[in-house]
Amino acid sequence: MLEKSEPAERVAVPAALAAHYSAVRAHSLTLTAPLSDEDCAVQSMPDASPAKWHLAHTTWFFETFLLEPFEPHFSPFHAAYRMLFNSYYNGVGDQYSRPHRGLLTRPTRAQVLTYRANVDARLAVLFTQPQPEDFRTLLELGLNHEQQHQELILTDILHTLSQNPLNPAYDDHFPAPPAAGPLEWISFEGGITQIGHAGESFAFDNETPRHRQYLEPFAIASTLVTNRDLQNFIEAGGYEDPALWLSEGWNFIRAHNIRHPLNWRLVDGAWHEFSLRGLHKLDQAGPVLHLSFYEASAYALWAGARLPTEAEWEHAARTRPNLPQLFDTAWQWTSSAYAPYPGFQPATGAIGEYNGKFMVNQYVLRGSSLATPPGHSRLTYRNFFPAGTRWQFTGLRLAR
């Protein structure tokens, strides 16, 4: 078991935070409401997880990191869940194999919902009692963790539904990403800027510490690259020209027979896209989505530009907050490797495994996507994925 928290000064849990907990937890159920039990149980690839698993794992997080240390006379809801729904926390114990999560037909969806209700009720009791400051810190982390999984619920079910020849929609009325206006180049002077999170509001540990960064003069595109832009790249032979591709990227697209963005399909000679709204004609003015880092890099070179660094992106977004499509459209690849900021220190204990141990062989993405839940975006947010990732809502903004 995790250690009980040391005696510390206790304060009341803010009513607004308790209400936020209820709202976040309810939103996960809203997202899965359109899904059948079969939808919730399937796993379409090792990188994705069943929606049922997301519902259970986020509950596991609260049970493991809040109930176990802070609830008097704690007893687990089900002892086996500690291993079944542990994602990657080695400090907590063993985990069930990630590629095999779709084999967990039991517990059922109904049993997972009972698990959620049990943990929610027990936390509601703790909310009425003064708690140490660590309780509030872990509660805020758990809520942001669940919001991350809310986005994964949508990206993972999209990948699942895209494998079905019936082209089923998750939601016929799911909002389409906003179209881009005319592209303009916004110039920025070089010099020293401040990068990273500062202040008392929540941020993940990988967003800290705030530090100085020197920038050469640069320019950044006012909008994201569009589907029309990417179609022009295809028609110009971009996927067939090795001179545009990183060596690893060229090997990747040849090995996987990639000739267009994920979820694009030719139907009667016209490009269509499969989205959460089902199969529909490609919106030429919409932002291109589901690009790997390799594709983003190749397109940028073909367009006579490059990917921005994450420092350039954050500086541009901070000084020009009205730039279109910064948030809630597509996660935007940067050329920056996912690495610790100067002075970064992971938290002690199992919770320190949240971000720090993944700082290798991945690239940073900035902004947020159309699947990011409301209130979860911020300027300093550092998303990260391996270079071949395509099932997320990933796009690009050019720099030069």
Side-chain angles (χ1 to χ4, degrees):
M1 293 181 61
L2 298 181
E3 294 183 2
K4 293 285 183 180
S5 59
E6 294 296 325
E9 181 181 355
R10 294 173 178 264
V11 296
V13 178
L17 185 56
H20 185 46
Y21 175 89
S22 296
V24 169
R25 297 284 283 171
H27 187 58
S28 296
L29 300 184
T30 298
L31 290 176
T32 54
L35 304 178
S36 67
D37 289 350
E38 291 83 358
D39 290 332
C40 286
V42 72
Q43 181 179 20
S44 56
M45 64 170 177
D47 285 340
S49 297
K52 183 178 69 175
W53 188 90
H54 289 298
L55 293 176
H57 167 69
T58 50
T59 304
W60 171 94
F61 188 98
F62 288 113
E63 182 184 39
T64 302
F65 293 114
L66 280 106
L67 288 183
E68 186 169 332
F70 297 103
E71 183 184 48
H73 313 296
F74 168 80
S75 179
F77 177 82
H78 192 303
Y81 287 8
R82 185 179 183 87
M83 180 271 291
L84 283 183
F85 302 120
N86 179 5
S87 55
Y88 51 71
Y89 294 90
N90 296 314
V92 173
D94 294 334
Q95 308 101 41
Y96 185 76
S97 170
R98 177 174 180 172
H100 299 119
R101 290 171 183 169
L103 299 179
L104 296 175
T105 57
R106 310 290 176 87
T108 65
R109 182 187 192 178
Q111 289 170 324
V112 167
L113 295 181
T114 299
Y115 176 39
R116 287 179 67 89
N118 175 273
V119 170
D120 289 347
R122 292 160 68 183
L123 274 174
V125 173
L126 296 188
F127 293 161
T128 66
Q129 305 164 354
Q131 299 293 343
E133 184 62 29
D134 284 354
F135 181 89
R136 176 174 177 170
T137 299
L138 289 166
L139 179 58
E140 290 181 330
L141 177 62
L143 291 173
N144 280 270
H145 167 259
E146 180 139 354
Q147 288 178 311
Q148 288 183 314
H149 280 270
Q150 288 168 354
E151 182 157 356
L152 289 171
I153 286 171
L154 293 177
T155 57
D156 292 358
I157 197 61
L158 173 61
H159 189 271
T160 293
L161 297 176
S162 73
Q163 311 304 304
N164 191 325
L166 297 178
N167 298 318
Y170 162 78
D171 179 357
D172 292 328
H173 304 290
F174 194 88
L183 185 148
E184 299 178 5
W185 287 98
I186 312 298
S187 297
F188 296 88
E189 297 180 357
I192 295 175
T193 188
Q194 293 280 335
I195 299 299
H197 180 78
E200 298 300 319
S201 60
F202 176 85
F204 290 115
D205 59 359
N206 66 357
E207 301 172 51
T208 63
R210 190 167 173 84
H211 61 285
R212 292 175 296 174
Q213 181 85 40
Y214 181 79
L215 300 177
E216 296 287 350
F218 71 99
I220 201 164
S222 61
T223 61
L224 302 184
V225 170
T226 67
N227 289 322
R228 180 183 294 109
D229 296 329
L230 210 289
Q231 185 172 335
N232 292 338
F233 175 72
I234 293 172
E235 293 172 352
Y239 280 88
E240 310 299 328
D241 185 355
L244 299 173
W245 295 81
L246 297 166
S247 176
E248 187 175 289
W250 180 252
N251 293 338
F252 178 81
I253 66 167
R254 305 308 284 186
H256 297 280
N257 194 30
I258 294 170
R259 298 293 183 270
H260 53 74
L262 185 69
N263 295 336
W264 280 31
R265 302 176 186 174
L266 273 175
V267 180
D268 296 329
W271 283 111
H272 287 61
E273 181 178 21
F274 184 81
S275 76
L276 291 168
R277 292 174 286 121
L279 187 65
H280 51 83
K281 194 169 183 179
L282 187 68
D283 177 9
Q284 295 288 318
V288 63
L289 302 172
H290 305 295
L291 288 182
S292 65
F293 173 85
Y294 301 130
E295 292 166 286
S297 175
Y299 176 85
L301 181 60
W302 177 79
R306 60 175 175 82
L307 301 180
T309 67
E310 67 168 321
E312 289 172 338
W313 190 99
E314 185 173 324
H315 178 74
R318 178 176 285 113
T319 56
R320 294 293 294 269
N322 294 325
L323 273 174
Q325 299 176 315
L326 282 174
F327 301 100
D328 305 328
T329 303
W331 288 104
Q332 296 148 56
W333 287 107
T334 74
S335 61
S336 297
Y338 180 51
Y341 283 162
F344 169 79
Q345 291 291 333
T348 58
I351 208 70
E353 299 183 54
Y354 198 101
N355 281 310
K357 71 178 186 181
F358 298 110
M359 292 176 171
V360 62
N361 297 334
Q362 308 203 67
Y363 282 88
V364 174
L365 299 100
R366 289 304 196 103
S368 58
S369 85
L370 54 93
T372 305
H376 191 61
S377 305
R378 61 183 165 274
L379 185 67
T380 58
Y381 203 123
R382 304 177 78 203
N383 204 351
F384 54 92
F385 281 103
T389 300
R390 304 177 84 217
W391 98 105
Q392 291 294 309
F393 291 99
T394 49
L396 73 153
R397 184 186 300 270
L398 298 176
R400 64 186 187 190

